[in-house]
């Protein structure tokens, strides 16, 4: 018989996977580890275990003015570095597909003992900034 804890884990996985919001996470080492389906659709590709320095080029991340987003300004990296972000404007402009305007919110993740687990960012597509 499955434990309640196992059911909770499966429910959380399903929630993240099926969310209309784009969700991306990195682990305690700062490596990109998770894209939900909405994130895959935005980027037109799946997650790759890349270091933060490679995220901008690999995932077509830009500032609202169209300039490439430096690695240290990528919302997930900022969250990993300890910032709590609320509605940071950005653009994802994949090679295949149209550019998307997004607002990114995120934060670092810690376990109950305060040990850093990584970071998460949730992105919502918007019409205008």
């Amino acid at each position: 018989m499955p434990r309640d804890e196992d059911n909770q884990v499966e429910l959380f996985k399903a929630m993240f996977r099926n969310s209309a919001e784009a969700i991306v996470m990195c682990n305690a080492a700062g490596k990109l580890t998770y894209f939900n389906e909405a994130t895959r659709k935005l980027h037109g590709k799946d997650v790759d275990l890349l270091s933060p320095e490679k995220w901008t080029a690999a995932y077509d991340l830009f500032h609202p003015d169209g300039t490439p987003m430096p690695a240290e300004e990528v919302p997930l990296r900022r969250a990993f570095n300890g910032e709590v972000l609320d509605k940071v404007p950005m653009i994802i402009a994949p090679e295949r597909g149209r550019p998307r305007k997004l607002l990114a919110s995120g934060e670092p993740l810690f376990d109950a003992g305060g040990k850093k687990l990584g970071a998460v960012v949730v992105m919502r597509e918007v019409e205008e900034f």
Side-chain angles (χ1 to χ4, degrees), residues 2 6 36 39 50 57 63 68 82 87 90 92 102 116 121 126:
D6 293 335
N36 71 345
T39 305
L50 297 173
H63 284 295
K87 299 178 185 167
M90 62 182 289
I92 293 176
L102 305 161
K116 187 182 224 176
V121 165
V126 296

Side-chain angles (χ1 to χ4, degrees), residues 49-67:
L49 296 174
L50 297 173
S51 62
E53 299 77 32
K54 298 179 181 179
W55 294 347
T56 295
Y59 296 106
D60 310 303
L61 308 177
F62 297 88
H63 284 295
D65 67 4
T67 58

